[in-house]
């Protein structure tokens, strides 16, 4: 499993794209998707919601368990991936592409986000 070098990662296993025009894309890592098993339901934050770094903002349900979704940054949600709501298996099949979860206009970015290499060392993958 390879974690894309251009992304940054949280210790809760979310990834964050580079901030472009103040907006970043967020999803869960392949490691987290594999640990969850087959995702069958996604509850994502809604456009206009405010999310806070390190706090829950949604939920992913799999055939194995239910897992809280944490935001790696603080800001306002600008988009939620309706494709994932309609087909939650995208989280498993394409966690770094079509399985992204939501976009945030970043107000504050924590300093403790990890590089791909640091996340690989942290997660053991």
């Amino acid at each position: 499993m390879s974690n894309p070098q251009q992304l940054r990662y949280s210790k809760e296993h979310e990834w964050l794209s580079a901030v472009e025009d103040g907006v970043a894309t967020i999803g869960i890592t392949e490691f987290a998707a594999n640990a969850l098993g087959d995702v069958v339901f996604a509850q994502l934050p809604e456009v206009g919601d405010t999310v806070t770094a390190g706090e829950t903002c949604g939920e992913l349900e799999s055939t194995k368990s239910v897992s809280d979704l944490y935001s790696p940054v603080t800001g306002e949600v600008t988009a939620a991936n309706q494709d994932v709501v309609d087909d939650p298996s995208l989280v498993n099949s394409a966690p770094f592409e079509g399985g992204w979860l939501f976009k945030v206009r970043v107000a504050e970015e924590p300093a403790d986000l990890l590089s791909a290499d640091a996340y690989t060392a942290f997660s053991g993958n």
Side-chain angles (χ1 to χ4, degrees):
M1 152 177 1
S2 177
N3 296 305
Q5 291 292 319
Q6 73 275 18
L7 302 177
R8 289 190 296 161
Y9 302 85
S10 74
K11 290 184 177 178
E12 288 79 26
H13 308 286
E14 280 84 25
W15 59 261
L16 172 79
S17 71
V19 177
E20 295 181 27
D21 296 326
V23 176
T25 302
I26 295 166
I28 67 166
T29 64
E30 185 175 4
F31 173 81
N34 289 339
L36 274 172
D38 295 333
V39 176
V40 296
F41 175 78
Q43 177 194 356
L44 305 177
E46 296 181 10
V47 173
D49 286 353
T50 299
V51 294
T52 303
E55 294 189 9
T56 59
C57 61
E59 187 175 274
L60 295 175
E61 183 178 329
S62 73
T63 55
K64 291 182 181 179
S65 66
V66 175
S67 180
D68 287 332
L69 177 62
Y70 296 89
S71 179
V73 294
T74 297
E76 181 182 341
V77 176
T78 62
N81 190 347
Q82 187 62 42
D83 290 343
V84 165
V85 173
D86 294 342
D87 181 6
S89 70
L90 287 171
V91 171
N92 299 104
S93 63
F96 296 114
E97 296 90 22
W100 64 273
L101 301 176
F102 60 99
K103 296 184 180 200
V104 175
R105 180 163 307 285
V106 178
E108 184 180 337
E109 192 174 312
D112 63 350
L113 292 174
L114 305 172
S115 68
D117 292 338
Y119 176 74
T120 298
F122 168 76
S123 65
N125 290 304

